[in-house]
């Protein structure tokens, strides 16, 4: 019953509502309340603060929300191994990836991975914004940049520059910028990250860092939309190298100002501690490393 109650607790956290969690699990409100009370009694502490308007996690509840997905996954993996044998790779994997990279590369990698391991299922979440891995039950997240959360583990995949780029049609109409400051006269296509518009584009000019505040007529919080605008010739974008590598090879986009780029970010796989011990997760991490090693 403890594992079932943990799963119900994570549903409550994910939905922010006991009623919604109960509907998803097919349980009455009274049963949800009873099982939450059993879980709190088991751990000897309150996990949620409940008001008439909202639920919020206590410190103990937050710690349980971070650790419970590991407990459930490990229990599920153990059951699978006992029932089906240690040689078989089986069970669900929840993955989070940036929108462009997820559509253009990760989804294809997963096709091959599932063909090799047909007893595995995947749940792919595409987002360019912040994701709470523990609350969402994510097993592996693929992200650009350094890791901020020290509770997570990392497998480095590849360096990834952010490249200014534009479609040939746009450059034919408006000219090719020769230096970063030339961008101030161009229409720049912007990304929004965590509510902030990425207007400040960094460069290295004459050996020194320089940041330009740029403007444009289009902003989106989805990298795939910005890429599409760029390919259609609406302006200049600054995109991660892995997002547009195929577009550059195909001539749909032209890289710009490469001599002025700042050092590349890291593309990496992030996962909760202990998840790499689960066989299907380890094999997926190995497949990701191999995929990006090929270029």
């Amino acid at each position: 019953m403890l594992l079932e109650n943990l799963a119900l607790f994570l549903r409550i956290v994910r939905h922010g509502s006991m009623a919604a969690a109960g509907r998803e699990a097919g349980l009455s409100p009274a049963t949800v309340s009873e099982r939450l009370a059993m879980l709190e009694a088991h751990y000897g502490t309150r996990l949620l603060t409940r008001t008439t308007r909202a639920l919020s996690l206590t410190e103990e509840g937050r710690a349980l929300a971070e650790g419970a997905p590991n407990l459930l996954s490990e229990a599920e993996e153990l059951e699978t191994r006992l029932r089906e044998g240690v040689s078989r790779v089986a069970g669900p994997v929840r993955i989070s990836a940036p929108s462009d990279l997820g559509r253009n590369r990760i989804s294809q990698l997963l096709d091959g991975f599932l063909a090799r391991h047909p007893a595995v299922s995947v749940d792919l979440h595409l987002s360019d914004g912040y994701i709470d891995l523990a609350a969402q039950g994510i097993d592996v997240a693929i992200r650009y940049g350094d890791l901020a959360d020290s509770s997570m583990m990392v497998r480095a995949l590849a360096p990834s520059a952010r490249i200014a780029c534009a479609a040939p049609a746009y450059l034919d109409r408006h000219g090719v910028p020769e230096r970063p400051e030339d961008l101030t006269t161009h229409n720049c296509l912007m990304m929004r990250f965590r509510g902030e518009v990425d207007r400040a584009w960094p460069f290295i000019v004459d050996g020194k860092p320089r940041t330009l505040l740029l403007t444009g007529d289009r902003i989106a919080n989805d990298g795939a939309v910005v890429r599409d605008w760029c390919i259609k010739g609406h302006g200049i974008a600054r995109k991660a190298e892995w997002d547009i590598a195929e577009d550059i090879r195909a001539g749909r986009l032209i890289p710009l100002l490469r001599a002025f780029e700042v050092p590349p970010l890291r593309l990496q796989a992030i996962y909760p501690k202990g998840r790499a011990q689960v066989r299907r997760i380890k094999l997926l991490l190995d497949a990701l490393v191999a995929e990006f090693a090929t270029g």
Side-chain angles (χ1 to χ4, degrees), residues 8-24 32 48-57 135-136:
L8 178 60
F9 171 70
L10 290 179
R11 278 197 174 101
I12 295 171
V13 172
R14 186 161 60 248
H15 289 291
S17 165
M18 294 175 63
R23 285 194 297 271
E24 183 179 81
V32 173
L48 293 170
T49 300
R50 283 155 275 185
T51 69
T52 56
R53 293 187 176 182
L55 296 176
S56 61
L57 289 167
Q136 295 294 322

Side-chain angles (χ1 to χ4, degrees), residues 37-69:
M38 290 172 60
L39 194 62
E40 290 180 329
H42 175 83
Y43 289 110
T45 187
R46 183 172 291 279
L47 301 173
L48 293 170
T49 300
R50 283 155 275 185
T51 69
T52 56
R53 293 187 176 182
L55 296 176
S56 61
L57 289 167
T58 64
E59 286 301 316
E60 294 79 9
R62 186 171 293 107
L64 184 61
E66 291 175 355

Side-chain angles (χ1 to χ4, degrees), residues 182-247:
D182 296 341
L183 293 174
T184 59
T185 64
H186 284 268
N187 191 51
C188 294
L189 309 171
M190 307 291 183
M191 273 290 297
R192 184 187 299 277
F193 296 102
R194 302 188 191 182
E196 297 293 327
V197 178
D198 183 28
R199 299 184 185 280
W201 292 10
F203 295 94
I204 301 295
V205 180
D206 298 327
K208 298 179 181 179
R210 182 175 180 186
T211 298
L212 296 172
L213 291 177
L214 302 171
T215 60
D217 64 357
R218 295 167 192 245
I219 300 170
N221 67 345
D222 187 315
V225 172
V226 173
R227 170 177 166 268
D228 185 59
W229 283 340
C230 195
I231 289 172
K232 289 178 177 176
H234 294 302
I236 295 176
R238 185 169 176 262
K239 294 287 297 174
E241 178 180 2
W242 290 101
D243 289 348
I244 59 170
E246 183 57 36
D247 296 320

Side-chain angles (χ1 to χ4, degrees), residues 84-99:
E84 301 180 354
V86 295
S87 63
R88 192 175 184 202
V89 180
V93 181
R94 290 171 63 86
I95 308 158
S96 174
S99 57

Side-chain angles (χ1 to χ4, degrees), residues 22-34:
R23 285 194 297 271
E24 183 179 81
L27 301 173
S28 69
T31 300
V32 173
S33 296
E34 179 183 347

Side-chain angles (χ1 to χ4, degrees), residues 51-117:
T51 69
T52 56
R53 293 187 176 182
L55 296 176
S56 61
L57 289 167
T58 64
E59 286 301 316
E60 294 79 9
R62 186 171 293 107
L64 184 61
E66 291 175 355
N70 289 346
L71 294 174
L72 293 173
S73 294
E74 288 166 10
E76 182 182 338
E77 178 74 10
L78 177 59
E79 182 177 354
T80 298
R81 290 174 63 189
L82 291 174
R83 288 185 175 184
E84 301 180 354
V86 295
S87 63
R88 192 175 184 202
V89 180
V93 181
R94 290 171 63 86
I95 308 158
S96 174
S99 57
D100 267 0
L101 192 68
R103 290 184 178 95
N104 298 330
R105 191 141 190 171
I106 302 303
S107 63
Q108 297 174 32
L109 177 147
L110 292 175
D111 287 342
F113 186 78
L114 292 176
R116 294 191 299 275
H117 307 291

